[in-house]
Amino acid sequence: MAALVAVGLGTALTPGAQAADNPYERGPAPTTASIEASRGSYAVSQTTVSSLSVSGFGGGTIYYPTSTADGTFGAIAISPGYTASQSSIAWLGPRLASQGFVVFTIDTLTTLDQPDSRGRQLLAALDHLTQRSTVRTRIDSSRLGVMGHSMGGGGTLEAAKSRPSLQAAIPLTGWNLDKSWPELRTPTLVVGADGDTIAPVSSHSEPFYTSLPSSLDKAYLELNNASHFTPNSSNTTIAKYSISWLKRFIDNDTRFEQFLCPLPRPSLTIEEYRGNCPHTS
């Protein structure tokens, strides 16, 4: 009996046993410092995708963990906003990829594309990533997410509506004429800014969030002392909660639940945070 207990304890404490519990878990156990850091534990490489080599979107840049030792990774496509290019969201590429994701920051077909078009382009970018890109063998095609800024944030909601199999969606100061999203089935973190005068939270981010079904894993983060364009620059608060949300729902990594539940309290960088806890997916 003692020998069996010893064997059982040995098995329980091995990394392999933990990996078997959650085969999608990637990277070391997180800390506040690790998710607030400008880079995670993975070295990152990148490759440029020409608009001439793709259809349905405008090309972009893929950021990915350099090593393949941990197997495949979840993937995220990110859209810029109105009149903007991928350079406006480029900081998210290496920041998220270094935490253990393949990240595709895209250009859109035109800088004036509306949210419904940007949503279709995000899905086209994910399809390219998983089916034709040079890093497709590094990706778990069942574990995908979308993000976007402004009209790209509105496009994030459109993409999640069109493809319920997506594991996570994060609209950043999103803009969309459609305010109601009760049909979404993708865990969604809505990020707004208290000083946004282009997509005010009262008419965009807040109604987006409140319209999501109560049964959905969802959260609303309103940035304090922030503007519509805050997501265009490196931002620790956006990164911290985006990483936690993506890890929790794309990787099903419950080690990140601690940063989402109990709900974060207002602070120098958080005006308000709402959500349903504990998360279930």
Side-chain angles (χ1 to χ4, degrees):
M1 180 64 70
L4 288 173
V5 170
V7 170
L9 287 174
T11 302
L13 296 174
T14 60
Q18 185 179 17
D21 291 340
N22 178 16
Y24 310 115
E25 188 177 286
R26 297 289 180 270
T31 63
T32 298
S34 75
I35 61 173
E36 291 183 348
S38 61
R39 291 294 181 272
S41 62
Y42 289 94
V44 173
S45 298
Q46 67 186 74
T47 184
T48 300
V49 178
S50 168
S51 62
L52 301 177
S53 66
V54 300
S55 62
F57 66 107
T61 305
I62 302 172
Y63 303 84
Y64 58 95
T66 304
S67 172
T68 58
D70 287 346
T72 56
F73 297 92
I76 306 134
I78 310 178
S79 168
Y82 191 61
T83 74
S85 68
Q86 62 165 311
S87 63
S88 67
I89 49 168
W91 72 274
L92 285 162
R95 189 130 182 190
L96 299 180
S98 67
Q99 296 284 346
F101 296 104
V102 176
V103 183
F104 200 178
T105 57
I106 69 168
D107 280 315
T108 47
L109 294 172
T110 81
T111 59
L112 307 181
D113 291 329
Q114 299 295 298
D116 58 343
S117 174
R118 289 173 192 268
R120 291 192 297 272
Q121 292 181 62
L122 282 167
L123 298 180
L126 288 177
D127 291 342
H128 176 82
L129 263 185
T130 58
Q131 298 169 18
R132 294 177 294 280
S133 76
T134 58
V135 299
R136 61 188 180 277
T137 59
R138 299 170 182 257
I139 297 170
D140 180 345
S141 61
S142 70
R143 313 203 72 76
L144 306 174
V146 285
M147 297 179 67
H149 172 241
S150 190
M151 282 198 180
T156 295
L157 296 168
E158 300 281 0
K161 177 180 176 179
S162 297
R163 190 173 294 182
S165 61
L166 293 176
Q167 301 291 307
I170 305 179
L172 302 169
T173 58
W175 187 99
N176 199 311
L177 291 175
D178 185 351
K179 313 300 182 185
S180 185
W181 301 90
E183 64 276 72
L184 259 63
R185 297 296 178 265
T186 297
T188 301
L189 168 62
V190 178
V191 178
D194 63 344
D196 193 336
T197 58
I198 294 173
V201 293
S202 61
S203 56
H204 291 272
S205 292
E206 286 187 302
F208 296 162
Y209 170 77
T210 56
S211 71
L212 295 171
S214 59
S215 58
L216 184 69
D217 288 306
K218 62 177 183 174
Y220 172 71
L221 165 61
E222 186 175 318
L223 302 169
N224 186 36
N225 194 26
S227 78
H228 184 69
F229 299 104
T230 294
N232 292 151
S233 302
S234 180
N235 183 282
T236 298
T237 303
I238 291 174
K240 175 180 182 177
Y241 293 102
S242 294
I243 290 164
S244 298
W245 196 264
L246 297 168
K247 284 290 203 177
R248 177 64 183 83
F249 294 107
I250 291 182
D251 289 354
N252 196 31
D253 193 336
T254 55
R255 298 179 301 174
F256 288 81
E257 181 85 355
Q258 62 182 302
F259 307 110
L260 303 171
C261 298
L263 299 178
R265 301 176 66 85
S267 66
L268 291 176
T269 61
I270 298 175
E271 172 69 21
E272 182 184 3
Y273 193 105
R274 291 183 246 166
N276 50 7
C277 288
H279 297 298
T280 57
S281 296

